Amino acid sequence: GAGVSQSPSNKVTEKGKDVELRCDPISGHTALYWYRQSLGQGLEFLIYFQGNSAPDKSGLPSDRFSAERTGGSVSTLTIQRTQQEDSAVYLCASSPEGGDSYEQYFGPGTRLTVT
Amino acid sequence: AQSVTQLDSHVSVSEGTPVLLRCNYSSSYSPSLFWYVQHPNKGLQLLLKYTSAATLVKGINGFEAEFKKSETSFHLTKPSAHMSDAAEYFCVFTSGTYKYIFGTGTRLKVLA
């Protein structure tokens, strides 16, 4: 079956512009996660969705970052007024439910470069 | 504090020789532990997971890991390395929550 997909695969943007990153989880997965992978910081948790609700936004680095999920499926991560330190690979993952025994299935990521 | 430590940032082995990638965790509660592999420009792929069942866990591509509570370790092994195993490997920890805590990664290089 189809895995987690993300678009675009690469995004180059100018400092100060807004960007939207999209994630399509595996069908039927109720839990969805965003992570950021950057040099020097490793892999960082950003936000967790259960259905359309985000009970944990603790990893969002600033108020320039926001995310939403609609229809219990597609999620969009939005970064406003991008900064160079936002350059990273943004990974989306989904799992059947949001428990610790459920493995998370990762998408290929979106590589964001802020110039 | 809960954490996971990968003891080696880089490991080099010759093709056909054993692979050992080390991972230690710190937790007051029973952990769930995972190993993921990331090939260049690819997403993370699950190799294996431990969730309080058998302590010796077998995964894909001949990899296995043993959960040792007394040593707080979950090392990844493979008897014979293949060129296609060259990648970055992440040990991942959770404890009673969905939130993955990633190790810093170990880059495996396989020499011909």
Side-chain angles (χ1 to χ4, degrees), chain B:
Chain B
Q2 300 180 110
S3 65
V4 61
T5 302
Q6 291 184 245
L7 297 163
D8 306 292
S9 58
H10 292 81
V11 170
S12 290
V13 300
S14 297
E15 190 175 20
T17 65
V19 175
L20 170 64
L21 306 183
R22 299 183 292 167
C23 173
N24 284 93
Y25 70 93
S26 174
S27 175
S28 303
Y29 306 100
S30 295
S32 294
L33 291 155
F34 308 78
W35 276 99
Y36 280 81
V37 61
Q38 187 177 36
H39 291 275
N41 300 314
K42 297 287 181 66
L44 290 156
Q45 180 185 19
L46 180 71
L47 283 176
L48 48 80
K49 66 178 180 180
Y50 166 78
T51 55
S52 76
T55 56
L56 181 62
V57 182
K58 293 189 183 298
I60 62 171
N61 301 335
F63 284 95
E64 63 181 39
E66 186 171 7
F67 174 72
K68 292 187 177 180
K69 186 175 180 179
S70 61
E71 299 177 10
T72 62
S73 70
F74 189 58
H75 300 337
L76 181 70
T77 61
K78 182 173 180 178
S80 176
H82 191 273
M83 296 298 288
S84 61
D85 294 327
E88 188 152 22
Y89 292 79
F90 292 93
C91 183
V92 179
F93 161 91
T94 71
S95 182
T97 175
Y98 51 82
K99 189 179 294 186
Y100 271 15
I101 298 173
F102 284 84
T104 50
T106 298
R107 189 167 296 279
L108 176 66
K109 186 174 182 179
V110 182
L111 306 171

Side-chain angles (χ1 to χ4, degrees), chain A:
Chain A
V4 178
S5 60
Q6 293 185 246
S7 61
S9 55
N10 280 283
K11 177 71 176 179
V12 180
T13 190
E14 292 180 353
K15 178 181 172 181
K17 295 286 178 86
D18 298 351
V19 295
E20 286 190 351
L21 311 180
R22 177 187 168 106
C23 172
D24 282 272
I26 292 172
S27 178
H29 281 194
T30 63
L32 185 146
Y33 316 81
W34 284 96
Y35 295 87
R36 180 168 73 173
Q37 186 175 24
S38 54
L39 289 175
Q41 297 294 325
L43 274 146
E44 306 170 275
F45 167 84
L46 296 179
I47 188 169
Y48 157 61
F49 285 93
Q50 181 58 47
N52 291 334
S53 300
D56 188 347
K57 304 179 183 179
S58 62
L60 294 178
S62 76
D63 59 7
R64 295 187 295 105
F65 287 72
S66 63
E68 65 175 12
R69 188 179 185 194
T70 56
S73 180
V74 172
S75 176
T76 303
L77 177 68
T78 301
I79 309 173
Q80 295 179 310
R81 305 181 303 283
T82 52
Q83 303 294 312
Q84 288 187 329
E85 61 262 29
D86 300 334
S87 295
V89 177
Y90 290 83
L91 293 169
C92 176
S94 69
S95 65
E97 293 187 25
D100 66 340
S101 62
Y102 291 98
E103 66 192 71
Q104 296 179 19
Y105 297 80
F106 285 82
T110 293
R111 182 176 297 277
L112 176 65
T113 303
V114 182
T115 61

